[in-house]
Amino acid sequence: MSSQMTSGRSMSGRRFLCVLAVSALSLISAAQARAETLRVATPYPALNFHTQNLQAFASAVSSATNGGLKLEVYPNGTLLKPAAIFDGVKDGKAEAGEVMLSTLAQRDPLFGVDSIPFVVSGYNDARLLWDASRSHIEALMKANGLRLLYAVPWPPQNLYSETPITRLSDLKGHRLRTYNAAQKRIAELYGAQAVQVEAADLTAAIAGGRIDTMVTSPSTGLETKAGQRMTYYYKVNAWIPKNAVFVNEARFAKLPPAMQQTVLKLAKDYETRGWDASRQTYERDEAELAKTGVRVLNPDVTLQGDMRRLGERLTREWLHTAGTEEVDILLNFENKRSKAN
Ligand code: PCA
């Protein structure tokens, strides 16, 4: 009797545990069912510092929401082709994306404000220009159904070449790799052939000799083994372009409000981290580039003069296509800069 009771008690105890386990499992699967996933498309390689910052942002979002929100990062244009990311996120083919802002300059000159040559002279200037332009870019994204999360700069853009360049007219006849409208204009002005190449195809384009000159960061030069062909590298410091990470606004609005706040707060943190990473990457990658046989050079006085004139010309041209809003941004930037110096 007493043994029956014991076993009866233990049976009901076991049943109780089973019920507990089953309901715990169903709670977990309900949470998983509720877990939100946003796919993030980026054109850039997994090991690039932008993508690593994005991955770290995604992990931070996942931890802060206890796995409730997952950002799945697809590097190298694997989810959407680089040129299709902006429209793809707008149209809901991916929930979020990363693009370099100036690749969108043909849609609106505002997107090209950070790639007018020789407007900023370094990271501090780049930061002031971002302070002056951020709200405008945010509004422009919003008008496209997108929510800006953060923006992080590439290191300064320098000139690579297979042969020495002492003046800009030396670009004549070269195959200049281009990634935005400003670079196409430079090719046109100096009689170079513009060859549009996405970052994901750049290693092959260099190895295959499709291009013999380019303007990009030491990071991208290193990642694409530029030094195997282009052993001249001039620190012209042409501009500091930024990548922006954004999400489809309608999709974002469907997330629980607390989750939205978490994402926006972390986006701020990862913008700051991204800027720091960019500065550190610049120094490090330029030193690494030199080790691969690239001659890291300061531009000749003639080249410097040409660059200054090019900057003035492209600023004028940009202002022609721009409206009062764009002019205001540059004035606001100049004001901030004169106060800072
Ligand atoms: N690397 C990217 C964009 C700017 C940069 O430094 C590229 O060359 O495509």
Side-chain angles (χ1 to χ4, degrees):
M1 174 75 184
S2 96
S3 80
Q4 265 179 5
M5 273 194 63
T6 315
S7 84
R9 256 205 309 272
S10 79
M11 273 310 285
S12 68
R14 234 174 270 151
R15 211 171 291 137
F16 176 68
L17 276 180
C18 273
V19 171
L20 210 80
V22 167
S23 49
L25 277 176
S26 65
L27 267 179
I28 291 169
S29 59
Q32 271 168 353
R34 276 201 312 272
E36 309 267 5
T37 302
L38 306 181
R39 292 163 305 156
V40 196
T42 172
Y44 301 105
L47 295 181
N48 180 271
F49 76 95
H50 281 289
T51 316
Q52 298 214 309
N53 190 50
L54 181 58
Q55 289 283 12
F57 171 59
S59 306
V61 167
S62 177
S63 318
T65 59
N66 295 317
L69 178 58
K70 298 214 176 318
L71 303 185
E72 278 176 13
V73 177
Y74 292 80
N76 254 336
T78 45
L79 181 60
L80 290 171
K81 290 225 175 327
I85 292 178
F86 188 79
D87 285 330
V89 176
K90 205 166 127 180
D91 302 341
K93 289 182 188 139
E95 291 72 38
E98 170 160 356
V99 298
M100 181 165 63
L101 287 166
S102 64
T103 59
L104 307 167
Q106 267 141 335
R107 295 164 187 262
D108 195 302
L110 243 176
F111 283 132
V113 69
D114 65 10
S115 297
I116 311 171
F118 312 107
V119 167
V120 301
S121 63
Y123 279 101
N124 290 347
D125 275 3
R127 183 73 229 181
L128 296 178
L129 182 59
W130 181 222
D131 292 344
S133 53
R134 178 180 200 125
S135 62
H136 302 265
I137 302 276
E138 256 167 4
L140 188 53
M141 289 259 173
K142 197 157 193 182
N144 281 282
L146 301 169
R147 166 79 66 124
L148 175 78
L149 293 180
Y150 66 76
V152 166
W154 288 92
Q157 304 290 289
N158 291 325
L159 175 65
Y160 295 71
S161 175
E162 284 193 13
T163 54
I165 304 281
T166 53
R167 46 174 55 82
L168 281 176
S169 56
D170 290 344
L171 288 175
K172 195 174 170 61
H174 278 277
R175 300 179 300 284
L176 178 69
R177 179 262 176 152
T178 60
Y179 62 53
N180 70 10
Q183 293 192 334
K184 277 192 200 106
R185 183 72 182 124
I186 294 171
E188 188 177 274
L189 284 171
Y190 296 97
Q193 184 194 334
V195 186
Q196 165 79 30
V197 183
E198 296 296 345
D201 306 321
L202 193 52
T203 310
I206 294 169
R210 275 215 294 139
I211 60 162
D212 61 7
T213 38
M214 67 178 180
V215 179
T216 189
S217 58
S219 318
T220 295
L222 197 61
E223 281 164 7
T224 55
K225 304 189 172 61
Q228 292 188 353
R229 306 283 295 235
M230 293 183 260
T231 53
Y232 293 89
Y233 167 91
Y234 299 94
K235 289 169 69 93
V236 295
N237 196 11
W239 57 82
I240 298 185
K242 291 182 300 293
N243 279 4
V245 173
F246 50 87
V247 56
N248 178 292
E249 175 72 49
R251 181 66 185 85
F252 186 71
K254 286 203 189 108
L255 297 177
M259 214 177 244
Q260 293 181 25
Q261 288 317 311
T262 303
V263 171
L264 296 177
K265 189 199 156 291
L266 287 171
K268 254 197 196 147
D269 295 349
Y270 281 81
E271 174 161 308
T272 308
R273 285 171 188 246
W275 280 72
D276 292 344
S278 183
R279 285 177 194 259
Q280 288 157 14
T281 302
Y282 184 36
E283 304 287 320
R284 201 179 47 229
D285 288 355
E286 199 163 74
E288 285 301 313
L289 199 63
K291 286 190 202 150
T292 68
V294 171
R295 302 168 179 83
V296 174
L297 303 160
N298 285 315
D300 278 12
V301 210
T302 333
L303 185 53
Q304 277 176 26
D306 282 358
M307 291 281 179
R308 206 191 51 245
R309 278 186 293 278
L310 169 69
E312 283 160 7
R313 175 165 191 163
L314 292 199
T315 309
R316 253 195 332 270
E317 290 186 3
W318 186 79
L319 287 172
H320 270 296
T321 60
T324 48
E325 193 179 350
E326 285 85 359
V327 177
D328 275 354
I329 295 175
L330 282 193
L331 289 176
N332 187 349
F333 161 67
E334 287 298 340
N335 274 336
K336 287 183 194 295
R337 182 154 69 170
S338 51
K339 274 192 208 126
N341 294 330

